[in-house]
Amino acid sequence: MAIRVIGDDQEALAVAAGLAVEFRAGAAARDADRILPRAEVDRLSASGLLGITVPAAHGGADVSARTLAEVFRRLASADPSLAQIPQSHFVYINVLRRQGTATQQKFFFGEVLAGRRFGNAQSERNTRHVQDIRTRLSPRADGTRLLNGEKHYCTGALFADWIPVLARAENDALHVAYVASGAPGVTVVDDWDGMGQRTTASGTVRLVDVVVDAERIVPHHLTFEGPQLHGAVAQLLHAAIDAGITTGALAEAAAFVHAKSRPWFESVAEGYEKAVDDPLLIQRFGELDIQRRASDALLAVASDSVDAATRELTDETAARASIAVAAAKVHAARTAVEASSALFEVAGTRAALAPLNLHRYWRDARTHTLHDPARWKVQHIGRHALSGVRPPRHGLL
């Protein structure tokens, strides 16, 4: 498979726009029958989009956060499941940028530009909370480590060449082990059965006595010892996916109203022969589009704030970026759920027919927005606005 290497931001945006058109065509059918998008993920790799954040010194385009977020928004407007699959890929490129050695960066950035994909193995079930990580890296006499644990919600792992695994080592320090997907002791199970994002294959990864070389392990705990953008970038991509869902849902609703919706009889009595001319319907579309525009604007502001902090990283710039991203995520999440539900309100009864699968937008929005609670983001925004309290550095904000 020939892999394109994208040269700059404009090229990345153009490629994303083209792929969105391709991916939109089969999205409803893939979701309805839970057809995993293996061909589409390969197409994503071949397009070069997965390498756009590799630093220029290593041959990548090193695009801005603004561009990266817009790439995700465009892809999610076509297929939110497909857009979610590479989210962790970019997060773990960032981990290498922050904490990887020169040798690690040279190797893994080369892998990414060659079309290799990162998945993730982060979350665990039956622990006290999301940061209660019990997967362990144990030292061996020859300097390698043994990795043991079980992970869930491992989006991208089924399609990955490398699976970054969050694990505790000595003194419970958090590390990331980059494990080859076919390594002995690694099992990836396609057991994701969510009501939404049905084709992300966010299943289980089991790790039994997996031998990991020291050169494949990164000290992730160091990321949070100073100002950082790890959480801001990760959450920015989530916000972009939510914004994309809103864009897709409203476009689908408008097309349906033009082509299939009947006018309400009282609207006809008022002289409006087509549903698209109903002033009450127009009013509702206007309200929803204002919310969409607000989500897109907050996403742009947040992206620019991340870019500014990247250029000059301090406690204050990192805090501003995290708060801006949190605001974008809260608004985009709420709007995605509202717009994907309002699709049926504006389109009418026929929009609820199962073969049309228009409910996939709401299912995707409702499922994706469960990644982390917006109420805690509002708390941090409020504390910052009221008292200037900087948000925590836990990596989820």
Side-chain angles (χ1 to χ4, degrees):
M1 178 172 60
I3 307 299
R4 178 176 184 170
V5 177
I6 289 175
D8 57 31
D9 292 62
Q10 291 306 310
E11 186 180 358
L13 292 172
V15 171
L19 284 182
V21 173
E22 291 182 31
F23 294 161
R24 183 176 291 109
R30 286 193 296 272
D31 176 88
D33 297 326
R34 198 175 179 272
I35 300 169
L36 297 182
R38 296 182 185 277
E40 288 75 17
V41 172
D42 285 343
R43 181 76 182 89
L44 190 61
S45 289
S47 76
L49 279 181
L50 298 184
I52 59 176
T53 61
V54 169
H58 290 270
D62 201 6
V63 303
S64 66
R66 179 79 171 264
T67 294
L68 183 62
E70 179 60 13
V71 164
F72 269 78
R73 192 194 68 81
R74 293 182 183 189
L75 294 177
S77 72
D79 185 341
S81 285
L82 193 47
Q84 177 62 32
I85 290 170
Q87 191 265 350
S88 290
H89 172 87
F90 287 98
V91 168
Y92 285 102
I93 289 175
N94 270 355
V95 170
L96 288 164
R97 290 182 63 138
R98 174 83 175 183
Q99 298 300 341
T101 65
T103 300
Q104 289 171 330
Q105 290 177 349
K106 180 179 180 179
F107 174 77
F108 280 116
F109 292 156
E111 287 283 279
V112 170
L113 291 178
R116 310 286 191 271
R117 298 186 288 260
F118 294 152
N120 93 83
Q122 299 177 143
S123 294
E124 300 179 13
R125 286 181 185 163
N126 303 319
T127 57
R128 291 186 64 243
H129 51 73
V130 70
Q131 292 200 327
D132 183 11
I133 303 297
R134 300 182 184 180
T135 297
R136 305 298 302 189
L137 276 166
S138 305
R140 304 175 77 210
D142 63 359
T144 63
R145 303 288 184 94
L146 275 186
L147 180 63
N148 284 279
E150 182 167 297
K151 301 288 189 173
H152 300 273
Y153 312 120
C154 300
T155 303
L158 194 67
F159 308 105
D161 300 287
W162 292 93
I163 303 174
V165 181
L166 280 184
R168 303 282 180 186
E170 300 89 281
N171 302 317
D172 279 344
L174 193 63
H175 289 69
V176 176
Y178 288 76
V179 178
S181 59
V186 177
T187 303
V188 182
V189 185
D190 178 23
D191 58 358
W192 170 242
D193 192 25
M195 69 173 183
Q197 293 195 294
R198 299 186 66 225
T199 60
T200 59
S202 302
T204 299
V205 172
R206 298 192 180 101
L207 307 145
V208 179
D209 289 339
V210 180
V211 178
V212 186
D213 190 271
E215 276 300 311
R216 299 292 180 261
I217 300 171
V218 175
H220 192 35
H221 60 99
L222 298 179
T223 299
F224 310 105
E225 291 188 359
Q228 50 83 32
L229 297 171
H230 176 79
V233 173
Q235 292 295 310
L236 182 70
L237 301 186
H238 283 307
I241 291 169
D242 290 339
I245 292 173
T246 296
T247 299
L250 291 183
E252 192 89 62
F256 195 95
V257 169
H258 273 278
K260 299 179 181 180
S261 293
R262 295 186 298 176
W264 183 241
F265 75 94
E266 290 176 287
S267 175
V268 174
E270 294 288 337
Y272 303 104
E273 295 295 330
K274 298 179 180 179
V276 72
D277 296 325
D278 182 339
L280 298 179
L281 200 60
I282 292 170
Q283 176 74 18
R284 186 62 175 132
F285 265 97
E287 293 168 349
L288 293 168
D289 196 56
I290 289 169
Q291 294 302 309
R292 178 196 64 80
R293 288 171 182 267
S295 287
D296 290 352
L298 285 167
L299 184 68
V301 169
S303 301
D304 289 346
S305 187
V306 170
D307 283 328
T310 300
R311 291 190 294 270
E312 185 181 353
L313 186 59
T314 66
D315 284 329
E316 186 57 35
T317 61
R320 286 201 296 266
S322 289
I323 292 298
V325 171
K329 180 65 173 71
V330 169
H331 193 279
R334 290 174 177 173
T335 302
V337 172
E338 179 184 4
S340 57
S341 176
L343 186 160
F344 302 98
E345 172 192 339
V346 297
T349 307
R350 278 188 286 181
L353 294 176
L356 297 174
N357 197 23
L358 295 180
H359 48 73
R360 71 184 175 91
Y361 292 102
W362 182 86
R363 290 187 289 102
D364 283 342
R366 185 64 282 176
T367 302
H368 181 257
T369 54
L370 297 176
H371 271 84
D372 49 274
R375 60 187 178 272
W376 274 100
K377 297 184 188 301
V378 174
Q379 283 284 307
H380 294 307
I381 294 168
R383 290 168 184 165
H384 188 265
L386 182 62
S387 305
V389 177
R390 290 173 182 158
R393 294 173 175 167
H394 52 46
L396 294 174
L397 191 71

